[in-house]
Structures are given as structure tokens and as C-alpha cells.
Amino acid sequence: MAAKTDSTSNTASVESACACTNCTPTDAFPARPAFPARAIVTAGMPYGNKGLHFGHIGGVFVPADIYARFLRDRIGVNNVLFISGTDCYGSPIDEGYRKLVEAGEFDGSIEDYVLMNHQAQFASLAAYNISLDIYQGSGLEPAKQIHKDMTDEIFDRLHQHGHLRWLSTAQFYDEEVGSFLNGRQVEGKCPWPNCESEQAYADECSLGHSYQPEELIDPISTLSGKPPVMRNAANWYIDLASFKPLLTEHIRQLGDSGTTRKVVTDTMSEFMLAPIIFVRNEHLDDYPAVAGSLPAHTMRPPAGRETSFELEFENLDDRDTARPILDRAAIRYRTGKTLVPFRLTGNIEWGVAAPNLTGNPEESALTVWVWPESLWAPISFTRTYLAGGAPDLVSGSLNPARTSTDGQNWKDYWCDPAARVYQFIGQDNIYFYGVAQTPLFAGYNGFSTEDPSTSYGEIQQTQLVANFHLLYFGRKASSSSALKPPMADELLDFYTSEQLRAHFASLGLSLKQASFRPKPFNPDAGERDPDPVLKDGQVLTNILNRLARSCFYTAQSELAGMMPLGKVSESLLADAAEAIRAYEQAMYSQELHVANSIAAEYCRAANKYWSEHSKATEGNAEARSQLLVDCFYLLRVCLLLMHPIAPEGTRMVYDYLKLDVAETEFFSWKHISEAGVPSGLETFVSTESAAGEAHPLRELPPRTDFFSRHPSQFT
């Protein structure tokens, strides 16, 4: 199937080209979704201060990997890049390193510390069969220099297009140590009402609530243990409010697309509100005394059980003028979500050096704040990969199936309207990837805030695939809680990676928060209590495994190890087409739990078909041969649907089929007709086998499992 550009949808549609001999041009079928000609999949970057915990794997990397594998099957392995890496800079790394050194637990450089954690992350990803094309580090060569070059390019373009503002704002300062404090060197209480966060930092708590630094309650410096003061510091900002028309239209388009999760548009829309100050109800009697001193505003009394009343201002400057007036009156408040200048630089030493754009001496010591530079890090990693750069740690690629990058440029993926970038992130990060990234990319492209009708092509806006929180026994995972969440590697002491992948795929994080409840880690679990992870994994270890073994062992015992070839029963072709079309639509919408459910149900139905017909056909050679033709076809479709979810087991079945085509060819969707009918196995055998209407299989030893259980589950 060739791909062509659909100018109305900015995706690639598929030309009519039936590759299936079981399909005729007169077959009626519903419209199938159009996929891009090329795609990048990214997974949110973990900080370089620790290894990966279960949330990194189950909430981001497994979903991203499933989608990347599907796209490789769907549009071609050489048209898809799966990109991620370690977030090497920022205060979490700086503070984690400082504490270990002071405790005498680490004696290397901060670069050594980051590399150690990067290597641990890489090993965990490999253990879960995460098929990244590159897993780099923003502070590790060869991506380090490319990332620095990309950073300079971003800043130069934003400055050239007039989108940078040099602003002096209040920052935490520790007078005892004589230093500004980075985000993790300040701890206090989150100012958000009813927040259950156990840790709140300079401008964001551990649950993702953001606020102004001066709103943090009872701040303490982690360096001296004393309350810091506020001092002004100058930095570069991009004025998000000037991009409000662009953001408003972008949110509308996302909502109309039918493929953007509601949590993305809802979260982004929250920041489109007017500047609001929320004042606690205990100050209702104090408000009249200061109301006349405040800039023009609208006061809204509390409704129902609300604990605050609202003061809405016409613009951000008026809101910020009101804040010191309320402070002097000892009135407690918090600011609401709105578009505020997004800080691009800071004074933390461990960061990408910011370019000096104006020759101002104050710029010379600035580094780039970790959040903005992490937004273009996937572009840096793309450029690194396509330039052939990867350290020995990565050995060139985590995805051995890719065969070529000849002539490809990073702009083929990030700038071409026929391509698409799918970014898998957690819901906490929607503000950064949606509200902040959109103006950054548009500003880089030369978007004019004075004339929004001007073109702003070049770097395309990305498809955000945001997952809700993956909870741990019903609560947000926290290393400081009584029930400590497991690291990713710990889970593999009790489960296979494919059991866990199947479970994570079933959780429906696109719709709601889900709780991870692995029985071996549940102190309250009884011996007879079921394990939710094993329940989802049984589709592989019991059902699909049984179907595959039945097909192979029957062929070995009754047909001398030969797989019969022939015409598949018509009803099975129709069922396969229906499942394929539903599965494809679910994947198009990134509803992985729906795709997983369709695949699981198809596997159950296929196994049931074998069970219902195996005894009835005993002793009837012709009927037995037809049953094997049908069931090998059912197995072929099961493998196609489960390949992104369970790549190891499906690959093993492919190996034992002993076909005359490469693995990528076997799983390629180019062998699915436009009606959605997968071709039969005769497509992948030699001319001699096809002529003889039978194909020799690789001998399967007794009691071989394609989808095995973990050794601990046999006790």
C-alpha cells in the first residue's frame, strides 16, 4: 500500500490496493482511519536522579511502546521513530546529587551521577522490551552538543521574532548561604485548598499543583533549614498571554479532531480564564476595606460550599498589582490558573547554558530552566539519531527492526504536515506540553501575535496522548508513604514483562485514574485473593498459548509437522475483518485499552473455535485439515493484534512458523485488504509450499510455552 497526503486532515490516507487473495473489489466495508506517512512517538522523559518506578513503565513507556509498535506494523518500520531519554538537568538532579555527596554515598561528578541513573533506566526499559530507537540524555554526548545547538537555535529564533521578555521577578534566596534556591531547595505546604501533597516546592507540589513562589506556605530552605527571603532575579520569559488567540483556536481544533483526549482540552482550557484571585471566606469581612484600593475587578461571592470567593481582573498586571495590597492587609489568597509569562532561564548551575542574546552581563551566568529545554529535547534526540549518533550504551538502536535512515532529516518528522508526533505524557504535564509548548513552537516558526493569520508552519504542533495517574493501591504513589511503591525492576521478580504489559494495557488510563494492585506487594492480600495482573496476563499465558500449542502439536502429530494451506472459512474472514477494523479505529484514537480488549476477545473466540471443533473432527482427515487451516488463520490474526502488546511471545510463534519472510513483513499491515481482511499464511510461504498446499513448521518441543508464566507463579 502506498501512502498519499490528505490535505484536509494533514495525515496520510491509504490508496486502494488489496493484498489479500480472499478479498474481492466488490466487498463492502466502512471507512477506515487515515494514518500519517511518518510518525514519531515520544515517552515523557524521566529525571536523571533515580531509576524507573512502576508509574514510569506502566503509565507512559508501555503505552508509548505499544503505540510505536502498532505504527511500525501499520505504516512501515522505517517510517516510525520512537524517541526518549533521560532529563539530565534541573533541580531534582542537582539536589539529589548534593544530598548523596554530603551523605558520603557518592563521590563522582554530577555527570557521573546522571550517567549512573541513565544506565539503570536503560536497563529497566530493555527488561520490559521497550523498543526505543534511541534513549539518549540531554546532558550526555553525543546528544549533549546537539541539544545545546538546538537550545541556541530556539532562543535565537524566539528573540529574532520578538517573543522574549526580560523580566525581573521574585525568587527564593537563602541569606545564610548567600544563594538563590532552585525549585527543590525550598519545601513548604501547598497553597491549593485540600491538597494532600506531602511535599511542596518553590512553585509546584508533588501532585502537580502550580503556584507563584511567594504563595508557598511556610517555606524552608533545604540548604540552611531556615526560611528564605524573596529577592528579584532577571530572566528570559515568553509571554504566553500574547498567544491566547492562537491557543484558543488550537484548543478548538484539538476538540474537533476526535482523537485528542478530553483531559487535554479541558486542562488547557483552564488556563484560558481571566486572571483571578481566590480569597478564603474567612476574609469576607476584611474585603470591603481594601476593595477600593484594588484595580478594577469583579467580586464573586462563594457559591454553595466553596471555601473561597473570587476577584476577577481585566489583565495580569492588574491582578499582580492587587497581590501586595492583599499581602499588606494580611489577607490569605491564591491565584487561579491563567496565562502568565513562562520562564525560560534560571540561575541553577547544572543546566544547559543559555545563549547571551544582547551582550548583557546578567545573561552570562544563566542556564535554561529544565522544563522548556525538555520540550525540545525530543527534537534534539531525533537529530542525534538521524545523524547516526548513539553511545555504546544504546548500541545504535533499541529497535533492531529498523533498517534505514538514509536521506532522512529531522524536519521530515517534525515539520512535514504529512507526518505526526505523538507525545505520551502524564496528566500533570499537560500545561507544559500543551499550554507552553504550543507558543514555543509557533514562536520559533515566526508566528505573529499581531497578525495571527500569518503562517506558522515548520515545526508542527504535536498530538498529546495524556494518561491519568496510575495510582498505587488507590493512592498517588509516594516514596515517603507507609506502603512504598515498587521500582520497575522489582516487579520482574514476580511477573514476566508481557504479563505486566498486558495488564498496563488494560487499565484505561485515557479515561480515568487506575489503581495498580499487584498481589505480591499487597500486605493485606489473602492466599485465595485474585491477582489483577495475572487475570489480564492469562489471555496470553492460557488462552493464546493454548491455541498456538494446539495448532503446532496437532500439525506435528497428525500431519508430520506440516501446516495445511487452503481456503479459510468465509465466516472467519468476516470476523477477522470486523476485529481488525475495530482494533485499527481504537489505535487511531490511542484508546489502547479498547484495542487490548478487542485483541483479548478475539483470542478467546479463536481458542473457543478450536475447542468446539477439535473433538468433532477427530478421525476425519479432510475436516481436520480444514480445522487447522482455519485455526492457523485465527492464530495469524491473534498474533497481528497482540504483536504490539506481547512482542516476545508473538515473535516466538512467528519463528516456529518458519515462514519465508522477515518478521516485519509478517506483521506488516500491507497484507491486510482495504476491507480489513488479513491475508492467509499462504502469502508468506515459498512457491513450493504453496504448490504442495502445505508448509513445514519448525518442530515444537514438548511442553513449550510461547507465552510463559513467571517461575514464581509455579510454586
Side-chain angles (χ1 to χ4, degrees):
M1 293 186 296
K4 64 181 180 181
T5 300
D6 179 348
S7 60
T8 61
S9 63
N10 283 341
T11 59
S13 60
V14 178
E15 293 180 354
S16 299
C18 180
C20 176
T21 56
N22 297 311
C23 171
T24 66
T26 58
D27 286 339
F29 57 91
R32 289 171 57 192
F35 287 85
R38 290 172 301 283
I40 279 185
V41 178
T42 75
M45 296 163 52
Y47 280 126
N49 61 338
K50 62 182 67 175
L52 302 180
H53 57 68
F54 80 94
H56 288 124
I57 293 292
V60 177
F61 277 102
V62 165
D65 185 64
I66 290 173
Y67 202 66
R69 288 179 180 276
F70 165 74
L71 285 177
R72 291 184 187 123
D73 293 346
R74 183 63 181 79
I75 66 175
V77 67
N78 287 336
N79 294 321
V80 180
L81 282 174
F82 185 14
I83 302 289
S84 189
T86 301
D87 208 346
C88 294
Y89 297 110
S91 59
I93 292 95
D94 193 41
E95 189 66 1
Y97 171 71
R98 181 188 69 81
K99 288 180 177 179
L100 283 182
V101 170
E102 288 184 357
E105 299 176 13
F106 194 84
D107 61 1
S109 67
I110 193 168
E111 290 89 345
D112 296 333
Y113 171 69
V114 170
L115 180 59
M116 174 188 71
N117 291 314
H118 174 72
Q119 291 172 330
Q121 293 170 2
F122 180 88
S124 297
L125 293 170
Y128 280 85
N129 212 352
I130 305 299
S131 61
L132 287 150
D133 289 286
I134 188 170
Y135 189 72
Q136 250 294 334
S138 52
L140 302 174
E141 293 293 1
K144 180 179 181 179
Q145 185 57 50
I146 293 175
H147 187 53
K148 165 60 177 167
D149 294 342
M150 187 74 205
T151 299
D152 290 348
E153 186 178 323
I154 294 279
F155 270 78
D156 288 342
R157 293 281 288 267
L158 290 175
H159 188 252
Q160 172 190 338
H161 296 143
H163 295 302
L164 295 185
R165 293 178 62 185
W166 181 254
L167 298 176
S168 181
T169 59
Q171 306 289 328
F172 285 113
Y173 184 85
D174 190 321
E175 293 182 307
E176 184 161 316
V177 299
S179 173
F180 283 100
L181 302 176
N182 67 45
R184 294 301 174 105
Q185 291 174 339
V186 183
E187 293 184 354
K189 299 176 183 177
C190 179
W192 278 64
N194 305 316
C195 178
E196 297 180 358
S197 171
E198 299 176 10
Q199 290 177 305
Y201 305 109
D203 55 7
E204 183 181 37
C205 77
S206 61
L207 292 184
H209 296 139
S210 58
Y211 39 80
Q212 297 298 317
E214 54 266 42
E215 295 179 277
L216 182 66
I217 299 172
D218 299 331
I220 292 294
S221 167
T222 62
L223 299 184
S224 66
K226 296 183 178 180
V229 298
M230 303 302 296
R231 284 193 181 180
N232 282 349
N235 281 287
W236 284 115
Y237 290 76
I238 182 171
D239 184 13
L240 299 185
S242 65
F243 289 85
K244 187 172 182 178
L246 167 68
L247 282 164
T248 301
E249 175 61 17
H250 183 55
I251 293 169
R252 186 195 65 77
Q253 291 177 357
L254 292 178
D256 292 344
S257 70
T259 59
T260 301
R261 294 174 179 175
K262 191 172 183 294
V263 65
V264 173
T265 53
D266 285 353
T267 302
M268 292 179 67
S269 295
E270 292 174 358
F271 291 91
M272 300 301 108
L273 300 175
I276 294 175
I277 289 178
F278 295 91
V279 183
R280 295 186 67 85
N281 289 344
E282 64 195 62
H283 297 294
L284 270 169
D285 293 338
D286 302 323
Y287 165 70
V290 298
S293 303
L294 301 175
H297 64 280
T298 300
M299 186 271 195
R300 296 192 187 93
R305 296 184 179 182
E306 291 181 355
T307 59
S308 302
F309 61 94
E310 298 179 8
L311 305 179
E312 180 179 316
F313 297 87
E314 294 181 2
N315 54 62
L316 192 61
D317 289 341
D318 285 352
R319 188 203 71 174
D320 290 343
T321 298
R323 292 171 61 194
I325 299 174
L326 297 174
D327 290 335
R328 288 192 293 270
I331 293 177
R332 289 186 60 189
Y333 65 89
R334 69 174 176 87
T335 55
K337 294 180 180 179
T338 191
L339 294 175
V340 300
F342 183 63
R343 181 166 61 88
L344 300 181
T345 60
N347 50 26
I348 177 175
E349 183 177 348
W350 178 240
V352 181
N356 192 314
L357 300 172
T358 66
N360 182 349
E362 289 186 77
E363 292 186 56
S364 59
L366 294 180
T367 54
V368 182
W369 185 33
V370 63
W371 258 113
E373 54 98 349
S374 69
L375 296 176
W376 56 79
I379 302 178
S380 303
F381 296 158
T382 304
R383 295 174 75 162
T384 302
Y385 178 76
L386 293 177
D392 291 340
L393 174 68
V394 183
S395 300
S397 175
L398 283 175
N399 170 29
R402 189 175 178 91
T403 60
S404 175
T405 60
D406 292 346
Q408 290 188 337
N409 185 281
W410 71 274
K411 292 188 176 183
D412 294 338
Y413 292 90
W414 288 90
C415 303
D416 188 343
R420 198 76 178 134
V421 177
Y422 301 88
Q423 297 196 286
F424 283 74
I425 60 174
Q427 69 177 104
D428 289 349
N429 297 332
I430 294 172
Y431 169 76
F432 296 104
Y433 284 91
V435 178
Q437 179 178 276
T438 302
L440 276 173
F441 285 4
Y444 170 93
N445 293 341
F447 174 80
S448 171
T449 56
E450 296 180 358
D451 182 8
S453 65
T454 55
S455 172
Y456 56 100
E458 207 154 351
I459 297 182
Q460 301 292 300
Q461 298 299 338
T462 61
Q463 175 75 43
L464 300 185
V465 188
N467 281 338
F468 282 91
H469 293 304
L470 180 55
L471 305 176
Y472 188 57
F473 290 101
R475 295 182 62 85
K476 181 80 181 285
S478 172
S479 58
S480 60
S481 63
L483 189 62
K484 298 189 184 303
M487 299 300 287
D489 294 348
E490 293 180 77
L491 295 174
L492 297 176
D493 292 334
F494 302 94
Y495 307 103
T496 68
S497 65
E498 302 222 315
Q499 287 176 318
L500 288 161
R501 288 172 66 98
H503 178 62
F504 291 139
S506 73
L507 293 179
L509 291 173
S510 64
L511 300 177
K512 63 185 187 319
Q513 294 182 350
S515 187
F516 182 50
R517 298 176 180 272
K519 184 177 178 180
F521 294 84
N522 185 357
D524 300 323
E527 184 177 344
R528 294 177 178 270
D529 290 339
D531 189 329
V533 179
L534 296 185
K535 176 179 178 293
D536 292 314
Q538 284 175 349
V539 172
L540 300 173
T541 58
N542 289 5
I543 296 169
L544 184 52
N545 194 58
R546 188 183 305 131
L547 174 65
R549 285 162 54 110
S550 298
C551 288
F552 277 89
Y553 286 141
T554 302
Q556 284 180 190
S557 63
E558 300 181 17
L559 297 176
M562 301 295 287
M563 176 181 68
L565 302 174
K567 185 175 177 58
V568 178
S569 298
E570 289 294 333
S571 62
L572 299 184
L573 295 177
D575 290 344
E578 182 179 354
I580 285 289
R581 291 196 297 265
Y583 178 92
E584 182 182 45
Q585 183 60 54
M587 283 296 196
Y588 177 72
S589 302
Q590 300 99 50
E591 299 295 340
L592 304 187
H593 67 290
V594 176
N596 178 73
S597 177
I598 293 167
E601 187 56 37
Y602 190 87
C603 290
R604 292 188 185 97
N607 187 63
K608 183 180 180 181
Y609 187 90
W610 167 264
S611 298
E612 290 179 345
H613 292 82
S614 58
K615 284 191 176 181
T617 56
E618 287 181 355
N620 185 329
E622 184 178 350
R624 198 69 163 174
S625 178
Q626 182 61 48
L627 177 62
L628 280 176
V629 168
D630 286 343
C631 286
F632 268 107
Y633 181 79
L634 292 173
L635 177 61
R636 181 265 195 279
V637 181
C638 288
L639 297 177
L640 193 67
L641 297 175
M642 279 296 184
H643 182 234
I645 299 165
E648 293 177 88
T650 53
R651 181 186 303 119
M652 183 177 175
V653 179
Y654 154 80
D655 286 339
Y656 274 88
L657 286 170
K658 200 178 175 182
L659 301 172
D660 296 306
V661 296
E663 178 186 348
T664 55
E665 184 76 5
F666 176 69
F667 288 108
S668 172
W669 279 51
K670 73 180 183 181
H671 297 294
I672 297 177
S673 77
E674 204 171 340
V677 182
S679 60
L681 288 168
E682 68 279 359
T683 304
F684 309 107
V685 303
S686 67
T687 304
E688 292 78 9
S689 293
E693 298 184 342
H695 170 73
L697 300 167
R698 179 180 169 189
E699 184 177 356
L700 185 67
R703 295 181 295 279
T704 297
D705 287 320
F706 294 103
F707 304 91
S708 61
R709 291 184 289 162
H710 191 275
S712 68
Q713 296 161 18
F714 290 94
T715 57

